[in-house]
Amino acid sequence: MDKFTTVSSVAAPLPLINIDTDMIIPKQFLKTIKRSGLGKNLFDEMRYNQSGDEIDDFVLNQEKYKNTNILVAGDNFGCGSSREHAPWALLDFGIKVIISTSFADIFFNNCFKNGILPIILPKKERDLLMDDAHKGSNSVLTINLENQEITRPDGSIIKFEVDKFKKKCLLDGLDDIELTMKKFEKIKSFENSYFQKFPWI
Amino acid sequence: MSEYKTLYDKIWENHLISEDDDGTSLLYVDRHLVHEVTSPQAFEGLRMSNRVVRSPEKTIAVPDHNVPTTVDREEGISNKESRIQVEALDKNAIDFGINYYPVNDIRQGIVHIIGPEQGWTLPGMTIVCGDSHTATHGAFGALAHGIGTSEVEHVLATQTLIQKKSKNMKVEVNGSLGLGVTAKDVTLSIIGETGTAGGTGHVIEYAGSVISNLSVEGRMTVCNMAIEGGARAGLIAPDQKTFDYLKGRPHAPKGTNWEMALNFWKMLYSDKGSKFDKLVVIDGSKIAPVVTWGTSPEDVLPINDIIPNPNDFDNQKKQAVERSLDYMGLFPGQKLEEVKIDTVFIGSCTNGRIEDLREVAKIMEGKKVKEGIRAMIVPGSGLVREQAEEEGIAQKLKEAGFEWRLAGCSMCLAMNPDQLNPKERCAATSNRNFEGRQGRGGRTHLMSPAMAAAAAITGHLTDVRNLI
């Protein structure tokens, strides 16, 4: 996983609440056996009409947002299925940061596994950033994970919380499996006593 | 931690390998269920880093999402991408030596139906799968939840999962259910009450007389949709019904192991005095047969109600409701019972079990699917299908006008050829009514099998109580 560095970009506003994983990446694109190449199908049914042409007023089709790295979204972003294709598609499109008041649990975890930072903010602060995002081209947000700060276009700063372990994994680009492999002795000794107690498992 | 523990606390503690200062924990995984859509990248990851599956005997795989449900599937899957995904699972299962139910095995079916059916799912276990409806297995008092593909790879390699403990939430459904009201109405009504984010960050324990009076299969329907309420997992304390369901299943413990297991399972309940962070109490006698009208599972109303007005919602939800009604082709004030349907889909991990099919057969007794309605029954597993055939249900349903399919996820998420056309309106027993879920532009109304049968008879959303 790539190390997470400071992200500076215009942010795309997606104020709709309950944006689900089926919207982020519809099921017909889950048939891949790869992780890459899903960016072009991100939000497919909102982004393209049935003949495959771009729908002009969808936010990511607007010139100023086409290269964005940041989404500012409505409540409960990423609800629905566990498909990691959702963060894969977001990442492949170029999204590195998503800001909302709340995220669905599985989606939230999946983001971190792929180097995407989901940021939870109180509604008031999310709404300020939503306003910034609506302003488009010159309205750049800067996200500094190390300091846990978002710098707004007017220079003001919004602080955010992030899980300590997840922050370290993002900053260092750490692989979870490698970390757990280091605990193999611990897992082994757990298994020994566990299966003595619960032999039927 | 308090001396009084919830069921979730107990299962968590039993599986805790290590815990860091910030609460980041390593949890042991008892069963890992695998299907073809969310696993190929994980197996590829193992190969690339020369890793093996640590506990193949605890790993169970089955193709379900992509598989066609027509009988011609025995000749192979015609859609190339679907075929590649299923073939990849075939190969991965053999290469890594995991338990496998290939597409033409009679035991094949939806992963959350066959786990319990085969006795892989047991009380007190931790069970994960790259699928959000893993919550289903919570009906047995197991801690079961969906994970992403990176986590699938992590579990394959280590048989553990990195987690932080969720909060405890209790949903108590008291009293008793009225005529024609089923487990599906209970679970939908709970989501209607709490919203799709109501359970976020929590593990829900369902309790109360309505829950304990449900059959084990009904409890699976309730837990299945915990995820739709935002909770990762839903749990129900095991009882005699649970034990009776499990006894004799192929992978359930036998002999002295059964006795030992039983003694342990009987201790799996939330201690009196244990603390829940959130409590929701619902009067079961007030639950009516319900349907969804929008594109979020929280858009639930009793069947005798009318389509709501967007102006009655707060600003953010108002925008979503306007979008939903436009997508669904409905208008405020319209009576739900007057909404005409084109299609009926009965199946899925929510309602694809034998009791669901019996319920449909009961409502259909002496009646037919209305002419012009496409009606499809997709049993949850090959064994459910076989049982329905043995009981004579299959024949009756076919005579009533239903298509009788082979097992799979089918039109619940429409990854196989079973899809809705744009604007086609479906009475569905599945779990999600998201935009495009059952096919681009398709319009889904979620409901119980009994309500779907009623809609099949009349051709519109119908109060099943008028037919019984």
Side-chain angles (χ1 to χ4, degrees):
Chain A
M1 193 167 83
D2 292 341
K3 289 183 183 180
F4 188 96
T5 50
T6 297
V7 174
S8 240
S9 150
V10 164
L14 270 172
L16 194 64
I17 59 167
N18 296 334
I19 290 186
D20 57 66
T21 50
D22 286 64
M23 281 180 180
I24 299 171
I25 186 82
K27 71 254 162 209
Q28 59 269 36
F29 306 108
L30 308 188
K31 295 185 182 186
T32 175
I33 54 171
K34 297 190 196 131
R35 292 174 201 245
S36 56
L38 289 166
K40 60 179 184 297
N41 305 113
L42 176 70
F43 294 113
D44 195 86
E45 291 176 7
M46 300 164 93
R47 208 163 132 206
Y48 307 104
N49 65 21
Q50 277 187 289
S51 12
D53 302 321
E54 285 189 0
I55 297 169
D56 291 340
D57 62 358
F58 182 65
V59 63
L60 297 182
N61 290 335
Q62 296 168 24
E63 211 47 52
K64 56 193 173 200
Y65 298 120
K66 275 192 168 166
N67 297 311
T68 184
N69 304 127
I70 305 169
L71 290 183
V72 184
D75 305 350
N76 197 29
F77 188 86
C79 59
S81 89
S82 64
R83 59 187 70 166
E84 202 159 311
H85 308 69
W88 293 338
L90 287 160
L91 187 70
D92 198 52
F93 180 88
I95 304 297
K96 303 247 172 60
V97 178
I98 309 165
I99 300 165
S100 180
T101 54
S102 57
F103 293 89
D105 281 340
I106 304 178
F107 175 81
F108 188 73
N109 274 327
N110 283 345
C111 282
F112 284 100
K113 310 279 179 192
N114 291 282
I116 297 174
L117 171 65
I119 300 176
I120 302 174
L121 288 179
K123 185 173 180 313
K124 210 173 126 197
E125 295 181 328
R126 190 274 318 268
D127 289 349
L128 288 175
L129 296 175
M130 189 71 82
D131 290 343
D132 290 339
H134 276 295
K135 288 176 191 150
S137 305
N138 289 319
S139 189
V140 169
L141 301 180
T142 300
I143 284 85
N144 182 318
L145 174 58
E146 185 73 59
N147 300 336
Q148 299 178 210
E149 286 176 353
I150 302 169
T151 308
R152 296 180 58 207
D154 66 2
S156 64
I157 283 175
I158 291 176
K159 298 285 278 182
F160 63 88
E161 294 296 319
V162 60
D163 181 282
K164 207 171 95 190
F165 173 73
K166 291 188 166 103
K167 176 179 174 180
K168 186 175 161 51
C169 287
L170 274 188
L171 286 173
D172 298 344
L174 290 177
D175 169 12
D176 278 356
I177 300 179
E178 201 60 57
L179 291 176
T180 302
M181 289 287 196
K182 289 186 186 144
K183 295 186 175 167
F184 244 46
E185 285 311 310
K186 250 186 182 163
I187 299 173
K188 255 198 158 127
S189 81
F190 173 90
E191 281 180 329
N192 286 339
S193 59
Y194 185 74
F195 290 117
Q196 247 169 31
K197 209 170 153 195
F198 307 114
W200 65 86
I201 292 172
Chain B
M1 195 176 284
S2 126
E3 57 181 311
Y4 303 113
K5 290 170 190 159
T6 66
L7 173 55
Y8 171 50
D9 296 338
K10 290 179 183 177
I11 301 175
W12 177 271
E13 272 181 26
N14 275 336
H15 293 85
L16 190 63
I17 299 167
S18 68
E19 183 176 356
D20 296 342
D21 295 342
D22 71 342
T24 301
S25 305
L26 194 63
L27 215 59
Y28 195 72
V29 173
D30 293 319
R31 294 286 181 264
H32 185 192
L33 309 174
V34 174
H35 64 83
E36 79 278 19
V37 177
T38 55
S39 69
Q41 295 87 349
F43 284 111
E44 196 52 33
L46 288 187
R47 282 197 184 90
M48 276 158 52
S49 35
N50 282 319
R51 289 172 179 145
V52 294
V53 176
R54 178 171 167 85
S55 308
E57 74 286 358
K58 296 182 177 62
T59 312
I60 301 103
V62 66
D64 57 3
H65 282 60
N66 266 291
V67 297
T69 57
T70 42
V71 283
D72 59 1
R73 83 173 182 202
E74 281 156 23
E75 292 144 32
I77 302 174
S78 58
N79 179 285
K80 191 179 160 200
E81 290 169 300
S82 294
R83 189 176 65 242
I84 291 172
Q85 241 180 14
V86 172
E87 284 171 357
L89 187 63
D90 289 341
K91 181 172 163 33
N92 289 329
I94 294 167
D95 286 0
F96 290 96
I98 61 185
N99 298 289
Y100 191 45
Y101 302 101
V103 66
N104 291 326
D105 191 307
I106 182 80
R107 299 165 299 173
Q108 179 270 347
I110 306 171
V111 63
H112 308 307
I113 301 238
I114 71 165
E117 195 171 75
Q118 293 297 321
W120 290 111
T121 303
L122 299 173
M125 280 185 164
T126 47
I127 302 174
V128 297
C129 173
D131 188 283
S132 57
H133 291 111
T134 310
T136 314
H137 308 265
F140 294 82
L143 175 61
H145 58 79
I147 54 176
T149 298
S150 296
E151 290 172 318
V152 169
E153 187 178 337
H154 189 279
V155 177
L156 287 172
T158 67
Q159 205 58 30
T160 68
L161 194 63
I162 300 171
Q163 286 277 287
K164 263 194 171 175
K165 193 160 182 260
S166 302
K167 290 180 180 162
N168 280 290
M169 173 169 171
K170 183 155 134 179
V171 175
E172 219 175 86
V173 192
N174 298 318
S176 55
L177 298 177
L179 185 73
V181 182
T182 67
K184 184 63 165 288
D185 301 298
V186 172
T187 201
L188 282 171
S189 299
I190 292 169
I191 299 160
E193 178 98 11
T194 61
T196 51
T200 303
H202 293 79
V203 164
I204 297 177
E205 180 173 343
Y206 299 97
S209 53
V210 164
I211 302 296
S212 49
N213 286 331
L214 286 176
S215 69
V216 172
E217 294 198 354
R219 293 175 190 178
M220 284 193 247
T221 302
V222 171
C223 289
N224 174 274
M225 291 191 73
I227 183 75
E228 265 61 62
R232 265 200 154 195
L235 284 170
I236 295 172
D239 60 10
Q240 193 56 44
K241 283 186 202 173
T242 323
F243 311 143
D244 292 344
Y245 177 98
L246 289 170
K247 193 157 192 188
R249 302 253 163 203
H251 295 279
K254 311 266 179 316
T256 51
N257 268 345
W258 172 263
E259 296 306 324
M260 243 172 122
L262 202 57
N263 284 334
F264 170 66
W265 294 344
K266 286 180 179 167
M267 299 187 305
L268 292 171
Y269 52 82
S270 288
D271 295 332
K272 213 171 170 182
S274 54
K275 196 182 140 291
F276 287 88
D277 303 283
K278 200 169 175 178
L279 174 69
V280 174
V281 181
I282 290 173
D283 179 355
S285 66
K286 296 214 169 103
I287 299 176
V290 292
V291 294
T292 62
W293 50 267
T295 55
S296 167
E298 70 189 15
D299 301 338
V300 176
L301 280 174
I303 180 67
N304 343 78
D305 222 317
I306 55 169
I307 303 287
N309 194 315
N311 294 329
D312 297 341
F313 295 86
D314 70 43
N315 212 20
Q316 269 201 78
K317 179 72 185 169
K318 184 184 160 193
Q319 195 196 5
V321 171
E322 281 168 351
R323 186 186 167 94
S324 282
L325 293 186
D326 182 49
Y327 179 87
M328 293 295 288
L330 300 169
F331 54 88
Q334 197 175 357
K335 282 186 177 165
L336 281 167
E337 280 206 89
E338 286 173 5
V339 176
K340 287 189 175 153
I341 53 134
D342 307 299
T343 303
V344 175
F345 168 66
I346 289 166
S348 85
C349 56
T350 319
N351 285 120
R353 285 169 287 266
I354 190 68
E355 287 178 12
D356 299 314
L357 305 192
R358 286 183 193 142
E359 188 72 31
V360 174
K362 204 168 82 190
I363 304 297
M364 294 304 300
E365 189 73 52
K367 303 200 174 71
K368 294 243 183 260
V369 172
K370 191 178 163 77
E371 209 174 310
I373 302 283
R374 165 159 83 130
M376 184 195 293
I377 297 185
V378 185
S381 73
L383 291 174
V384 169
R385 187 174 194 268
E386 188 180 61
Q387 191 175 348
E389 286 172 351
E390 280 168 9
E391 292 182 13
I393 294 173
Q395 193 55 33
K396 280 188 194 161
L397 291 171
K398 279 192 267 187
E399 282 165 12
F402 282 96
E403 292 178 46
W404 183 246
R405 298 296 191 90
L406 297 174
C409 299
S410 178
M411 205 189 263
C412 172
L413 85 167
M415 276 192 77
N416 77 346
D418 307 333
Q419 302 182 0
L420 294 181
N421 293 312
K423 299 192 178 172
E424 188 176 344
R425 191 180 296 283
C426 181
T429 66
S430 44
N431 41 51
R432 287 193 179 131
N433 51 352
F434 296 158
E435 282 181 26
R437 172 79 178 181
Q438 295 194 282
R440 185 170 182 149
R443 294 164 170 171
T444 304
H445 295 274
L446 302 176
M447 63 194 75
S448 72
M451 286 285 286
I457 295 166
T458 63
H460 54 84
L461 302 181
T462 297
D463 189 339
V464 67
R465 290 172 297 192
N466 298 335
L467 298 179
I468 44 183

